[in-house]
Amino acid sequence: EFQESQQSLSTLLSNLPGMVYRCLNDRNWTMETVSEGCFELTGYQPAELIGNRDAAYADLIHPDERDGVWEQVQAAVEPRKPFQLEYPIRTREGSWEWVWEQGRGLFAADGSLAALEGFITGIGDRKRVEEVLRRERDFNTTLIQSSPVFFVAINAASDILLMNEM
């Protein structure tokens, strides 16, 4: 019965579009357990990240984001709340991929923080769409602001959404 349960859990985790993890709350995010989805997401086999054998997860996080990720996780863990983050990681192949992470602290019986557990998935496609939409919005705003004709956009509640300065 235990083996059947373990097999069922393994199958479930292997079907997730990302990786499930348990890691230490240290600056390296030292992985203790990583699901098979790790390879598709990062290019690393789970065993290569466990215990920082070939790479520490922290080293995958963009250098400009590492401190912010650390601070956001610590701010959530202290009051025992879950955290959600978005940040870029460098895959084994050297490309940057945006990820979304959700996790929470796992506390021992004495109240001490034993580990962090969570899920990380790629959101690169969503980020690329957001960037296209941002560029289009900026272009349209520039076009409207430079128009020699008065322009105003109003919603159904008669709120002014956009108006050029003429």
Side-chain angles (χ1 to χ4, degrees):
E1 194 172 297
F2 177 74
Q3 285 180 328
E4 189 175 302
S5 175
Q6 289 297 97
Q7 180 61 41
S8 177
L9 180 60
S10 178
T11 300
L12 176 66
L13 293 178
S14 69
N15 285 313
L16 291 173
M19 71 181 212
V20 175
Y21 69 87
R22 176 183 286 179
C23 72
L24 298 177
N25 186 39
D26 63 11
R27 286 282 190 160
N28 284 322
W29 306 116
T30 302
M31 294 294 169
E32 295 180 326
T33 304
V34 180
S35 70
E36 294 297 320
C38 172
F39 180 74
E40 188 174 336
L41 185 66
T42 69
Y44 290 91
Q45 293 294 335
E48 295 176 302
L49 292 182
I50 293 174
N52 304 326
R53 188 184 95 187
D54 294 332
Y57 186 76
D59 293 338
L60 305 184
I61 300 171
H62 192 284
D64 295 343
E65 302 290 333
R66 287 181 194 148
D67 288 339
V69 168
W70 174 260
E71 290 164 9
Q72 289 179 62
V73 171
Q74 301 317 301
V77 168
E78 185 179 330
R80 295 182 179 221
K81 294 187 175 190
F83 54 86
Q84 291 185 8
L85 312 163
E86 293 181 4
Y87 54 88
I89 62 168
R90 174 161 277 175
T91 66
R92 178 180 222 139
E93 295 75 32
S95 63
W96 289 103
E97 178 68 31
W98 277 91
V99 297
W100 174 84
E101 176 178 354
Q102 178 169 315
R104 68 178 331 126
L106 178 65
F107 293 88
D110 67 1
S112 64
L113 180 62
L116 301 172
E117 292 183 330
F119 176 70
I120 303 171
T121 190
I123 58 168
D125 290 342
R126 190 194 90 202
K127 285 294 200 177
R128 285 184 280 281
V129 168
E130 287 175 355
E131 178 61 19
V132 167
L133 291 173
R134 185 194 62 75
R135 286 182 184 171
E136 287 179 3
R137 184 196 67 229
D138 291 350
F139 174 77
N140 290 338
T141 300
T142 300
L143 191 64
I144 289 167
Q145 291 299 339
S146 62
S147 173
V149 176
F150 178 70
F151 178 89
V152 63
I154 300 171
N155 67 12
S158 297
D159 299 320
I160 296 175
L161 302 175
L162 182 64
M163 183 171 65
N164 65 352
E165 298 177 13
M166 285 217 23

